[in-house]
Coordinates of all heavy atoms in Angstrom, one line a residue:
G1 N -56.5 115.3 145.9 CA -55.6 115.3 147.1 C -56.4 115.2 148.4 O -57.7 115.1 148.3
K2 N -55.8 115.3 149.5 CA -56.4 115.3 150.8 C -56.0 116.5 151.6 O -54.8 116.9 151.5 CB -56.0 114.0 151.6 CG -56.4 112.7 150.9 CD -55.9 111.6 151.8 CE -56.4 110.3 151.2 NZ -55.9 109.1 152.0
T3 N -56.9 117.0 152.4 CA -56.5 118.0 153.4 C -55.7 117.4 154.5 O -55.6 116.1 154.6 CB -57.7 118.8 153.9 OG1 -58.5 117.9 154.7 CG2 -58.5 119.4 152.8
L4 N -55.1 118.2 155.3 CA -54.3 117.6 156.4 C -55.2 117.0 157.5 O -54.6 116.4 158.4 CB -53.4 118.7 157.0 CG -52.4 119.3 156.0 CD1 -51.4 120.2 156.7 CD2 -51.6 118.2 155.2
Y5 N -56.5 117.1 157.4 CA -57.3 116.5 158.4 C -57.2 115.0 158.4 O -57.4 114.3 159.4 CB -58.8 116.9 158.2 CG -59.2 118.3 158.6 CD1 -59.6 119.2 157.7 CD2 -59.0 118.6 160.0 CE1 -59.9 120.5 158.2 CE2 -59.4 119.9 160.4 CZ -59.8 120.8 159.5 OH -60.1 122.1 159.9
H6 N -56.7 114.4 157.3 CA -56.6 113.0 157.2 C -55.5 112.5 158.1 O -55.4 111.3 158.4 CB -56.4 112.5 155.8 CG -55.0 112.6 155.2 ND1 -54.5 113.8 154.7 CD2 -54.0 111.7 155.2 CE1 -53.3 113.6 154.3 NE2 -52.9 112.4 154.6
W7 N -54.6 113.4 158.6 CA -53.6 113.0 159.6 C -54.3 112.5 160.9 O -53.7 111.6 161.6 CB -52.6 114.1 159.9 CG -51.7 114.5 158.7 CD1 -51.7 113.9 157.5 CD2 -50.7 115.4 158.7 NE1 -50.7 114.5 156.7 CE2 -50.1 115.4 157.5 CE3 -50.2 116.3 159.7 CZ2 -49.1 116.3 157.1 CZ3 -49.2 117.2 159.3 CH2 -48.6 117.2 158.0
G8 N -55.4 113.1 161.2 CA -56.2 112.7 162.4 C -55.3 112.7 163.7 O -54.5 113.5 164.0
N9 N -55.5 111.6 164.4 CA -54.8 111.4 165.6 C -53.6 110.4 165.5 O -53.2 109.8 166.4 CB -55.7 110.9 166.7 CG -56.8 111.9 167.1 OD1 -56.5 113.1 167.1 ND2 -58.0 111.4 167.3
K10 N -53.0 110.4 164.3 CA -51.9 109.5 164.0 C -50.7 110.0 164.8 O -50.5 111.2 165.0 CB -51.6 109.4 162.5 CG -52.8 108.8 161.8 CD -52.5 108.7 160.3 CE -53.6 108.1 159.5 NZ -53.4 108.2 158.1
S11 N -49.8 109.1 165.1 CA -48.5 109.5 165.7 C -47.6 110.1 164.7 O -47.7 109.9 163.5 CB -47.9 108.2 166.4 OG -47.4 107.4 165.3
L12 N -46.6 110.8 165.2 CA -45.6 111.5 164.4 C -44.9 110.4 163.5 O -44.6 110.7 162.4 CB -44.7 112.3 165.2 CG -43.6 113.1 164.5 CD1 -44.3 114.1 163.5 CD2 -42.7 113.8 165.4
E13 N -44.6 109.3 164.1 CA -44.0 108.2 163.3 C -44.8 107.8 162.1 O -44.2 107.5 161.1 CB -43.7 107.0 164.2 CG -42.6 107.2 165.3 CD -43.2 108.0 166.5 OE1 -44.4 108.0 166.8 OE2 -42.4 108.7 167.2
E14 N -46.1 107.8 162.3 CA -47.0 107.3 161.2 C -47.0 108.4 160.0 O -47.2 108.0 158.9 CB -48.4 107.1 161.7 CG -48.5 105.9 162.6 CD -50.0 105.8 163.1 OE1 -50.3 106.6 164.0 OE2 -50.7 104.9 162.6
I15 N -46.8 109.6 160.4 CA -47.0 110.7 159.4 C -45.7 111.5 159.2 O -45.7 112.5 158.6 CB -48.1 111.6 159.7 CG1 -47.9 112.3 161.1 CG2 -49.5 111.0 159.5 CD1 -48.9 113.4 161.4
Y16 N -44.6 110.9 159.6 CA -43.3 111.6 159.6 C -43.0 112.1 158.2 O -42.5 113.3 158.0 CB -42.2 110.6 160.0 CG -40.8 111.3 159.9 CD1 -40.4 112.2 160.9 CD2 -39.9 111.0 158.9 CE1 -39.1 112.8 160.8 CE2 -38.7 111.6 158.7 CZ -38.3 112.5 159.7 OH -37.1 113.1 159.6
V17 N -43.1 111.3 157.1 CA -42.8 111.8 155.8 C -43.6 113.0 155.4 O -43.1 113.9 154.8 CB -42.9 110.6 154.8 CG1 -42.8 111.1 153.4 CG2 -42.0 109.5 155.1
Q18 N -44.9 112.9 155.7 CA -45.8 114.0 155.4 C -45.5 115.3 156.1 O -45.5 116.4 155.6 CB -47.3 113.7 155.6 CG -47.8 112.6 154.7 CD -47.7 111.2 155.2 OE1 -47.1 111.0 156.3 NE2 -48.3 110.3 154.5
V19 N -45.2 115.2 157.4 CA -44.8 116.3 158.2 C -43.5 116.9 157.7 O -43.4 118.2 157.6 CB -44.7 115.9 159.7 CG1 -44.1 117.1 160.6 CG2 -46.0 115.5 160.3
R20 N -42.5 116.1 157.4 CA -41.3 116.6 156.8 C -41.5 117.3 155.5 O -40.9 118.4 155.3 CB -40.3 115.4 156.7 CG -38.9 115.8 156.2 CD -37.9 114.6 156.4 NE -36.7 114.7 155.6 CZ -35.9 115.7 155.6 NH1 -36.1 116.8 156.2 NH2 -34.8 115.7 154.8
S21 N -42.3 116.7 154.7 CA -42.7 117.4 153.4 C -43.3 118.7 153.6 O -43.0 119.7 152.9 CB -43.6 116.5 152.6 OG -44.0 117.1 151.4
L22 N -44.2 118.8 154.6 CA -44.9 120.1 154.9 C -43.9 121.1 155.4 O -43.9 122.3 155.1 CB -46.0 119.9 155.9 CG -46.8 121.2 156.3 CD1 -47.4 121.8 155.1 CD2 -47.8 120.8 157.4
A23 N -42.9 120.7 156.3 CA -41.9 121.6 156.8 C -41.0 122.1 155.7 O -40.7 123.3 155.6 CB -41.1 120.8 157.8
L24 N -40.6 121.2 154.7 CA -39.8 121.6 153.6 C -40.6 122.6 152.7 O -40.0 123.6 152.2 CB -39.3 120.4 152.8 CG -38.3 119.5 153.5 CD1 -38.1 118.2 152.7 CD2 -37.0 120.3 153.7
L25 N -41.8 122.4 152.5 CA -42.7 123.3 151.7 C -42.7 124.7 152.4 O -42.6 125.7 151.7 CB -44.1 122.7 151.5 CG -45.1 123.7 150.9 CD1 -44.8 123.9 149.4 CD2 -46.5 123.2 151.1
T26 N -42.9 124.7 153.7 CA -43.0 125.9 154.4 C -41.7 126.7 154.3 O -41.6 127.9 154.1 CB -43.3 125.6 155.9 OG1 -44.6 124.9 156.0 CG2 -43.4 126.9 156.7
A27 N -40.5 126.0 154.4 CA -39.2 126.6 154.3 C -39.1 127.2 152.9 O -38.6 128.3 152.7 CB -38.1 125.6 154.5
R28 N -39.5 126.5 151.8 CA -39.5 127.0 150.5 C -40.3 128.3 150.3 O -39.9 129.2 149.7 CB -39.9 126.0 149.5 CG -38.9 124.9 149.1 CD -39.4 124.0 147.9 NE -39.9 124.7 146.8 CZ -41.0 124.4 146.1 NH1 -41.7 123.4 146.5 NH2 -41.4 125.1 145.1
L29 N -41.5 128.2 150.9 CA -42.4 129.4 150.9 C -41.7 130.6 151.6 O -41.7 131.7 151.0 CB -43.7 129.2 151.6 CG -44.7 128.3 150.9 CD1 -45.8 127.8 151.8 CD2 -45.3 129.0 149.7
H30 N -41.1 130.4 152.7 CA -40.4 131.5 153.4 C -39.2 132.0 152.6 O -38.9 133.2 152.6 CB -40.0 131.0 154.8 CG -41.1 130.9 155.7 ND1 -41.0 130.5 157.1 CD2 -42.5 130.9 155.5 CE1 -42.2 130.5 157.6 NE2 -43.1 130.7 156.7
D31 N -38.5 131.1 152.0 CA -37.3 131.5 151.1 C -37.8 132.4 150.0 O -37.1 133.3 149.5 CB -36.6 130.2 150.5 CG -35.8 129.5 151.5 OD1 -35.5 130.0 152.6 OD2 -35.4 128.3 151.2
C32 N -39.1 132.2 149.5 CA -39.6 133.1 148.5 C -40.3 134.3 149.1 O -41.0 135.0 148.4 CB -40.6 132.3 147.7 SG -39.9 131.0 146.7
R33 N -40.2 134.5 150.4 CA -40.8 135.6 151.2 C -42.3 135.5 151.1 O -43.0 136.6 151.1 CB -40.2 136.9 150.7 CG -38.7 136.9 150.7 CD -38.0 138.2 150.3 NE -38.0 139.3 151.2 CZ -37.5 139.3 152.4 NH1 -37.0 138.3 153.0 NH2 -37.4 140.5 153.1
L34 N -42.8 134.3 151.2 CA -44.3 134.1 151.2 C -44.6 133.5 152.6 O -44.0 132.6 153.1 CB -44.7 133.1 150.1 CG -44.5 133.6 148.7 CD1 -44.8 132.5 147.7 CD2 -45.3 134.8 148.4
L35 N -45.6 134.1 153.2 CA -46.1 133.7 154.5 C -47.6 133.3 154.5 O -48.4 134.2 154.2 CB -45.8 134.8 155.6 CG -46.3 134.5 157.0 CD1 -45.6 133.4 157.6 CD2 -46.2 135.8 157.8
L36 N -47.9 132.1 154.8 CA -49.3 131.7 154.9 C -49.8 132.1 156.2 O -49.3 131.8 157.3 CB -49.4 130.2 154.7 CG -49.2 129.7 153.3 CD1 -48.9 128.2 153.3 CD2 -50.5 130.0 152.5
R37 N -50.9 132.9 156.2 CA -51.5 133.4 157.5 C -52.6 132.5 158.0 O -53.0 132.6 159.2 CB -52.0 134.8 157.3 CG -50.9 135.8 157.1 CD -51.5 137.2 157.0 NE -50.5 138.2 157.1 CZ -50.7 139.4 156.8 NH1 -51.8 139.9 156.4 NH2 -49.7 140.3 156.8
D38 N -53.1 131.6 157.2 CA -54.2 130.8 157.6 C -53.8 129.3 157.4 O -54.4 128.6 156.5 CB -55.5 131.1 156.8 CG -56.7 130.6 157.4 OD1 -56.7 130.0 158.5 OD2 -57.8 130.8 156.8
Y39 N -52.8 128.9 158.1 CA -52.2 127.6 158.0 C -53.0 126.6 158.8 O -52.5 126.0 159.7 CB -50.8 127.7 158.5 CG -49.7 127.0 157.7 CD1 -48.7 127.8 157.1 CD2 -49.7 125.7 157.4 CE1 -47.7 127.3 156.4 CE2 -48.7 125.1 156.6 CZ -47.7 125.9 156.1 OH -46.8 125.4 155.3
T40 N -54.2 126.3 158.3 CA -55.0 125.3 159.0 C -55.1 124.0 158.1 O -54.9 124.1 156.9 CB -56.5 125.9 159.2 OG1 -57.0 126.3 157.9 CG2 -56.4 127.1 160.1
P41 N -55.4 122.9 158.7 CA -55.5 121.6 158.0 C -56.4 121.6 156.8 O -56.1 121.0 155.8 CB -56.0 120.6 159.1 CG -55.7 121.2 160.4 CD -55.7 122.7 160.2
G42 N -57.5 122.4 156.8 CA -58.4 122.4 155.7 C -57.9 123.3 154.5 O -58.4 123.2 153.4
N43 N -56.9 124.1 154.8 CA -56.4 125.0 153.7 C -55.2 124.5 153.0 O -54.6 125.2 152.1 CB -56.1 126.4 154.3 CG -57.3 127.2 154.6 OD1 -58.4 126.8 154.2 ND2 -57.2 128.2 155.4
I44 N -54.7 123.3 153.3 CA -53.5 122.8 152.7 C -54.0 121.4 152.0 O -54.5 120.5 152.7 CB -52.4 122.5 153.7 CG1 -52.0 123.9 154.3 CG2 -51.2 121.9 153.0 CD1 -51.1 123.7 155.4
L45 N -53.7 121.3 150.7 CA -54.1 120.1 150.0 C -52.8 119.3 149.7 O -51.9 119.8 149.1 CB -54.8 120.5 148.7 CG -55.4 119.4 147.8 CD1 -56.5 118.7 148.6 CD2 -55.9 119.9 146.5
Q46 N -52.8 118.1 150.2 CA -51.6 117.3 150.0 C -51.9 116.3 148.9 O -52.9 115.6 148.9 CB -51.4 116.5 151.3 CG -50.1 115.7 151.3 CD -49.9 115.0 152.6 OE1 -50.8 114.8 153.4 NE2 -48.6 114.7 152.9

């Protein structure tokens, strides 16, 4: 996989699908009452 650093300086339009996927994952985590405290690009493997 790749860390989120590969998003680099791309525009939102270029990475829209990935950002939406991350948002949905975050919502699922919150639904399970899980909160990531260190939500940095190097800590998420896509």
Side-chain angles (χ1 to χ4, degrees):
K2 295 180 181 178
T3 63
L4 300 188
Y5 284 118
H6 81 277
W7 289 2
N9 295 322
K10 295 179 182 175
S11 69
L12 184 57
E13 292 78 26
E14 292 177 285
I15 57 171
Y16 176 78
V17 173
Q18 291 93 351
V19 171
R20 183 164 162 55
S21 175
L22 180 61
L24 291 171
L25 171 70
T26 302
R28 278 187 53 224
L29 286 165
H30 289 184
D31 286 344
C32 293
R33 306 183 77 59
L34 297 173
L35 174 65
L36 286 160
R37 290 186 170 165
D38 197 3
Y39 227 116
T40 57
N43 285 345
I44 300 169
L45 187 64
Q46 186 177 22

